[in-house]
Amino acid sequence: MRIGVFICHCGSNIAGTVDCAAVASKARAYPDVAYSTDIMYACAEPGQDAIIAAIKEHLLTGVVVASCTPRMHEPTFRKTVERAGLNRYMFEMANIREHVSWIGKDIEANTNKAAELVRMAVSKLRLNRELKPKSFPVTKRLLVVGGGVAGIQAALDAADAGLEVIMVEKQPTIGGKMAKLDKTFPTVDCSSCILGPRMVDVAQHPNITLYAYSEVDSISGYVGNFDVKIRKKASYVDWSKCTGCGLCTEKCPSKKSYDRFNEGVGPTTAIIIPFPQAIPKKASIEREYCRQFNTGKCGVCAKVCPTGAIDYGMQDEFIDAKVGGIVAATGYDLMDWTVYQEYGGGRYPDVVTSLQYERMLSASGPTGGHIKRPSDGEEPKDVVFIQCVGSRDVSVGRPYCSGFCCMYTAKQAILTKDHIPDSRSYVFYMDIRSPGKGYDEFTRRVQEEYQARYIRGRVSMVYPKGKKLIVRGADTLMGAQVEIEADLVVLAVGAEAAEGAPHLAEKLRISYDSYGFFMEGHPKLRPVETNTAGVFLAGACQGLKDIPSSVAQGSAAAAKALALLSRDMLDSDPQIASVNLNRCVGCRKCIEVCPFKAIQEIDLRGQPKAEVIETVCQGCGLCNATCPQGAIQLSHFTDNQLLAEVEALCRF
Amino acid sequence: METVLLNGRDDAFIRAVEESSGQVVSRCYQCGNCTAGCPMSFAYDYSVSQVMRLIQAGQKDAVLSSKAIWLCAACNTCSQRCPNEINVAGVMDACRQMARREKKFAVRAMRAFVDAFLDSVKFNGRSHEVGIMALYMLYTGRVWTDVELAPKVLPKGKMPLLPHRIKGRSEVAAIIDRYKQGLSDPELARARLAKDAGEESGKGKEAVS
């Protein structure tokens, strides 16, 4: 084998603390090294050209580049060697930047360490084999999990481009959190007026199949060919017959159900249509509040339904679907603010969440768009807004900024003035975070035009006094304690990942952070991809963001999914496990450890043996490490290749 | 208002406060929750969050000459409410001790009260309210302070005229003597703390083995 070694300076990034020429000259003594040099920028065009020229001139059959992390540039150099006629797997990378030059200042020690990393790479490369990807067909269908504004955008963009789309939504209607909002910042335009048409588009698009009131039960398979099982929860109403007339919701005698869509502002019935513009506009029964289910006596809805759609015996239904890619757009939920005893911990009815206030403001909400105190239905005159309730608070495990509360609080202060012209709004804030387009102007407008009183400080206590709530806090700019006699207190409750998000992440085999937000492939350069091929992210499930950003990410996720599914065939990664049947004793250990269910048991002339399903294997190597016989080997990372690296390092 | 020269940040002071209180003052992001909940704030010259800011800015003189550190009732509401889990009352306490060592008594009556309490405990092994009041009057010369309460309080038997003394008074007295010695000689106190810490860890090792 004739190996070429290229030591990259990376400007001064590496050469500043590593003697690159010395590393190159040491490498000349390594076995099979036919050519070795240092190079200013290996990844730049002249650098790549120099590698290609060296391969041709010195008849090299393998290449080692010692430079940065393989995460960004391994694909670059693999393409480079391929252009020179080598197999792309006859290439190894030694990371002498992140692992050497950036972490130490001692040039001699760094140079030695770099040389040893190069020696390891050379030793491994000597055992590399040419690998060729296999290609497999792609299912041209996209699954979108979550029907909020991000999911809707992703689904519509993909469907408009001709892709078949399946949308799964947990709630009985799509629309997500945006459907609950009265107005949106910074334009103060009606939320359901701009979202409504998009929701209708989803329902009417010939390429979109919508499963509302459904959840993803299980996912198996791999990029291009996922098998998804969707659980359609029993709504106890046959949606093929239901016309959404709403007669059942009028006649239902159980009128004390928790109104989930309206965030508990006022009760609702046990059989519900969440809101007038719901998509699909179908009724469903909340079993825990239904008299028929709880006492066995009622059946009013079944009697009044003109189409006979009520079916108390309905069971969950399972639907199997095959898709090529998946967009997760599961959004967020508000954190449980009742941990804050200083705001009453939920004891005072006139302390409400921002989302509850939004439902009060909404003309289609339970108060018909009139702001009313939940305790006595009176119109409040002094409304106090408290920001950062459950945001930027280490003591409740929420150190992050929720990102949109400053803006929606400003919007709610404006709307309060619009609804009740003689009202006064007070906003307790820590910092005003308004970096979006037109956002800061908006927060100025609420103070200058709408006379909202912004108080820089926190609230220490809310307690009732007669009909009023006394809000005591600090104005840190004044350096004084302040008190407000309030009629209504609105908490800008911080957001967290949607309930069950980690559970879905495990089904999707994607990672999530300690707060339940899904991890993107790269925080800057792969913001909507995940580290699992074929799974994309859109909206607040990846990290809290407002509507414009969620929509942008929805479109981005659709674009990524389209790029993937526009191809007829996909190349499989050849870095997968394979079984040496002569050595396999059929102990099943590999089958047990495989997280991807990529190994199956076969019968070979009466002997049980393991077999790798090539398209499912992700090349994680767990089976390789587990196999007591060394029978199952991960291509490109075989035991012998890894041992060669160890031996190169531990020679003495 | 005087201009504060920010280059003049007294890092040694910040370190000393952090060491003594066990808190990291840079964690404070000035939300104002401590000030909002402080029941003594009405009497302060600086609000609690301003004291924290002065410590962050290394303004030793301003902090140690402030009334706030003496008037703090150590009710711990600030520590309870701090979103960054800073024991703010502990920081105030550390500053109070430092001020005492540097003989800065912005609220002399508070110092007299603390001394009266300590002396009462030293004599009796526990506190004796009437004795504390008498000593406080003696130290401050404010003879008529709260005397009008006596006819209401005394008949209830909650404040006996004679102290209840405990056994082992001399050990308690030794603790207080050590504390006062430490105040007058910080070096000695530090050396003793270090020695105690050494013995503690030594004991720990024995227990493990």
Side-chain angles (χ1 to χ4, degrees):
Chain A
M1 191 168 189
R2 295 176 59 78
I3 294 173
V5 177
F6 300 86
I7 315 294
C8 179
H9 288 232
C10 195
S12 63
N13 271 312
I14 296 170
T17 54
V18 173
D19 184 347
C20 295
V23 177
S25 92
K26 281 188 189 195
R28 282 186 201 109
Y30 298 158
D32 287 351
V33 172
Y35 176 73
S36 175
T37 186
D38 54 318
I39 194 164
M40 188 50 94
Y41 287 105
C43 61
E45 228 167 52
Q48 293 190 45
D49 290 344
I51 294 172
I52 292 172
I55 291 171
K56 293 195 170 143
E57 188 186 336
H58 301 278
L59 305 173
L60 303 177
T61 55
V63 168
V64 169
V65 173
S67 56
C68 49
T69 166
R71 191 163 165 173
M72 293 310 299
H73 274 316
E74 192 176 61
T76 312
F77 294 125
R78 278 184 172 168
K79 277 184 208 143
T80 308
V81 301
E82 216 163 35
R83 278 194 287 149
L86 299 187
N87 180 276
R88 59 193 335 211
Y89 292 96
M90 300 309 284
F91 166 77
E92 285 298 326
M93 210 161 167
N95 184 355
I96 61 168
R97 192 177 71 181
E98 281 84 344
H99 287 176
V100 182
S101 69
W102 276 356
I103 55 169
K105 290 202 170 94
D106 180 343
I107 293 181
E108 193 190 339
N110 279 359
T111 305
N112 287 338
K113 186 179 175 187
E116 292 197 321
L117 291 178
V118 172
R119 178 191 280 272
M120 286 167 70
V122 168
S123 305
K124 176 170 183 289
L125 179 59
R126 294 175 71 209
L127 298 172
N128 279 13
R129 294 286 165 268
E130 293 193 357
L131 299 175
K132 295 223 163 52
K134 288 182 182 154
S135 57
F136 58 90
V138 173
T139 309
K140 296 194 177 236
R141 196 176 294 121
L142 182 67
L143 171 72
V144 176
V145 186
V149 68
I152 288 173
Q153 186 71 27
L156 287 175
D157 283 359
D160 283 345
L163 214 55
E164 264 185 66
V165 177
I166 295 173
M167 177 179 274
V168 174
E169 167 58 50
K170 188 156 74 172
Q171 303 297 335
T173 173
I174 59 169
K177 293 288 184 292
M178 187 176 169
K180 298 188 182 197
L181 306 181
D182 176 39
K183 302 279 190 313
T184 54
F185 60 77
T187 42
V188 201
D189 46 354
C190 164
S191 186
S192 56
C193 309
I194 55 176
L195 181 66
R198 297 293 178 94
M199 291 166 62
V200 173
D201 286 349
V202 168
Q204 294 179 348
H205 206 293
N207 286 349
I208 300 179
T209 312
L210 172 62
Y211 294 106
Y213 209 39
S214 301
E215 285 180 43
V216 171
D217 195 66
S218 67
I219 296 168
S220 59
Y222 49 93
V223 56
N225 293 286
F226 291 104
D227 293 300
V228 184
K229 193 186 275 286
I230 298 162
R231 188 162 65 90
K232 207 168 176 319
K233 294 183 277 186
S235 63
Y236 308 106
V237 177
D238 184 345
W239 282 5
S240 62
K241 293 181 189 161
C242 176
T243 60
C245 70
L247 204 55
C248 50
T249 64
E250 280 167 31
K251 301 290 180 193
C252 175
S254 168
K255 298 203 187 298
K256 286 192 177 159
S257 316
Y258 180 80
D259 192 342
R260 194 167 295 140
F261 183 79
N262 286 315
E263 298 284 322
V265 179
T268 187
T269 46
I271 186 161
I272 50 155
I273 297 172
F275 63 109
Q277 301 97 321
I279 297 285
K281 197 174 180 198
K282 306 284 180 191
S284 52
I285 295 177
E286 296 259 357
R287 198 181 163 128
E288 61 179 303
Y289 302 108
C290 175
R291 287 194 190 175
Q292 180 68 29
F293 283 109
N294 290 325
T295 65
K297 281 181 238 157
C298 183
V300 170
C301 49
K303 279 179 212 133
V304 300
C305 179
T307 60
I310 309 295
D311 174 10
Y312 298 117
M314 192 183 254
Q315 299 289 322
D316 287 1
E317 196 186 321
F318 290 93
I319 295 141
D320 289 310
K322 220 168 161 55
V323 296
I326 300 170
V327 173
T330 51
Y332 70 93
D333 277 321
L334 294 190
M335 67 94 68
D336 176 16
W337 71 273
T338 56
V339 295
Y340 288 99
Q341 290 301 317
E342 55 262 49
Y343 308 140
R347 289 191 303 280
Y348 311 135
D350 294 336
V351 177
V352 300
T353 69
S354 42
L355 216 42
Q356 287 174 327
Y357 195 58
E358 207 70 50
R359 293 313 298 151
M360 284 186 203
L361 292 166
S362 169
S364 67
T367 59
H370 297 291
I371 307 172
K372 289 177 180 169
R373 283 154 51 97
S375 62
D376 53 15
E378 281 181 26
E379 199 177 68
K381 297 294 177 204
D382 289 285
V383 182
V384 173
F385 296 89
I386 306 176
Q387 292 196 193
C388 296
V389 177
S391 297
R392 306 176 66 198
D393 191 339
V394 176
S395 69
V396 297
R398 296 275 178 281
Y400 54 83
C401 169
S402 295
F404 40 57
C405 321
C406 288
M407 291 304 297
Y408 73 60
T409 300
K411 175 199 71 182
Q412 290 180 342
I414 287 181
L415 294 176
T416 307
K417 196 80 178 169
D418 281 345
H419 282 241
I420 313 168
D422 61 339
S423 67
R424 291 161 297 272
S425 290
Y426 306 82
V427 179
F428 281 92
Y429 71 99
M430 274 201 268
D431 300 295
I432 301 175
R433 299 191 163 174
S434 51
K437 187 176 178 180
Y439 284 15
D440 207 60
E441 297 91 316
F442 186 74
T443 63
R444 291 309 315 163
R445 198 145 64 88
V446 61
Q447 295 173 63
E448 291 162 17
E449 267 178 54
Y450 288 83
Q451 303 296 320
R453 303 169 193 194
Y454 269 62
I455 304 138
R456 203 271 166 207
R458 301 293 291 161
V459 169
S460 69
M461 190 157 46
V462 175
Y463 63 94
K465 189 175 163 193
K467 284 175 70 176
K468 296 270 185 179
L469 286 166
I470 306 297
V471 179
R472 179 181 294 167
D475 184 327
T476 60
L477 300 181
M478 214 152 52
Q481 286 180 333
V482 291
E483 241 176 35
I484 298 165
E485 287 187 5
D487 299 308
L488 188 69
V489 174
V490 181
L491 307 177
V493 179
E496 60 186 14
E499 190 193 349
H503 204 57
L504 179 70
E506 276 152 31
K507 286 177 189 167
L508 290 169
R509 299 187 303 254
I510 57 176
S511 41
Y512 52 95
D513 67 14
S514 50
Y515 309 109
F517 294 112
F518 300 151
M519 292 295 286
E520 62 282 355
H522 186 283
K524 283 147 242 169
L525 299 175
R526 282 157 55 82
V528 298
E529 295 107 308
T530 64
N531 283 330
T532 300
V535 181
F536 307 99
L537 305 176
C541 65
Q542 176 262 336
L544 297 170
K545 50 181 69 65
D546 57 12
I547 293 166
S549 305
S550 294
V551 171
Q553 227 181 13
S555 285
K560 286 288 167 188
L562 283 166
L564 172 75
L565 301 181
S566 63
R567 290 192 279 179
D568 297 324
M569 303 291 279
L570 283 180
D571 281 349
S572 65
D573 189 341
Q575 299 174 87
I576 53 167
S578 60
V579 181
N580 179 345
L581 289 174
N582 293 332
R583 284 194 164 189
C584 177
V585 293
C587 70
R588 300 183 54 91
K589 283 199 171 107
C590 52
I591 298 175
E592 280 162 31
V593 298
C594 179
F596 303 103
K597 299 189 178 68
I599 306 173
Q600 60 190 8
E601 191 180 299
I602 53 161
D603 183 272
L604 186 78
R605 293 187 288 276
Q607 299 281 323
K609 298 281 180 189
E611 186 184 69
V612 176
I613 310 166
E614 289 185 359
T615 45
V616 183
C617 176
Q618 299 287 314
C620 72
L622 272 180
C623 54
N624 195 157
T626 307
C627 181
Q629 297 294 316
I632 194 159
Q633 292 288 324
L634 180 61
S635 310
H636 210 57
F637 295 96
T638 61
D639 287 348
N640 286 343
Q641 284 174 313
L642 299 186
L643 286 171
E645 288 188 290
V646 174
E647 273 172 26
L649 190 61
C650 312
R651 282 169 300 139
F652 309 108
Chain B
M1 218 175 249
E2 220 179 295
T3 306
V4 175
L5 182 67
L6 291 178
N7 304 100
R9 194 174 89 168
D10 186 343
D11 288 339
F13 168 64
I14 302 173
R15 264 201 309 281
V17 172
E18 293 196 330
E19 213 167 279
S20 166
S21 64
Q23 306 302 310
V24 181
V25 294
S26 61
R27 289 188 64 165
C28 171
Y29 59 34
Q30 287 291 321
C31 67
N33 232 329
C34 47
T35 299
C38 178
M40 296 305 292
S41 207
F42 68 92
Y44 284 4
D45 46 356
Y46 294 113
S47 68
V48 194
S49 48
Q50 284 173 332
V51 171
M52 289 300 290
R53 184 69 196 141
L54 286 168
I55 298 170
Q56 285 179 329
Q59 301 299 310
K60 183 176 178 179
D61 273 346
V63 173
L64 298 191
S65 331
S66 74
K67 289 183 181 160
I69 58 172
W70 286 96
L71 293 171
C72 166
C75 71
N76 272 306
T77 305
C78 46
S79 307
Q80 183 70 36
R81 296 280 162 79
C82 178
N84 296 309
E85 298 176 319
I86 302 169
N87 180 3
V88 186
V91 173
M92 297 288 271
D93 197 31
C95 294
R96 193 159 48 231
Q97 295 201 26
M98 221 179 272
R100 215 186 152 100
R101 257 185 236 122
E102 308 229 335
K103 306 217 181 329
K104 287 186 172 147
F105 307 105
V107 186
R108 294 209 164 258
M110 271 311 299
R111 182 228 183 166
F113 183 80
V114 171
D115 282 345
F117 174 82
L118 288 176
D119 289 344
S120 169
V121 173
K122 186 178 161 184
F123 295 142
N124 305 313
R126 53 170 289 185
S127 72
H128 171 232
E129 289 83 356
V130 175
I132 293 172
M133 278 185 74
L135 286 171
Y136 178 71
M137 289 171 183
L138 185 70
Y139 295 156
T140 55
R142 291 162 65 170
V143 180
W144 304 110
T145 304
D146 294 341
V147 165
E148 77 278 7
L149 294 175
K152 279 189 203 159
V153 175
L154 290 177
K156 303 206 168 174
K158 297 270 183 187
M159 289 175 70
L161 286 171
L162 291 177
H164 290 282
R165 300 187 146 189
I166 64 158
K167 283 183 197 166
R169 284 193 297 281
S170 55
E171 279 92 332
V172 175
I175 294 171
I176 290 169
D177 282 340
R178 270 165 63 114
Y179 168 68
K180 290 203 165 168
Q181 230 179 335
L183 280 180
S184 56
D185 186 354
E187 283 309 310
L188 180 77
R190 211 164 291 143
R192 219 161 34 201
L193 277 176
K195 188 170 156 249
D196 289 355
E199 277 173 16
E200 280 287 310
S201 62
K203 271 182 215 156
K205 268 176 207 159
E206 274 163 38
V208 170
S209 60

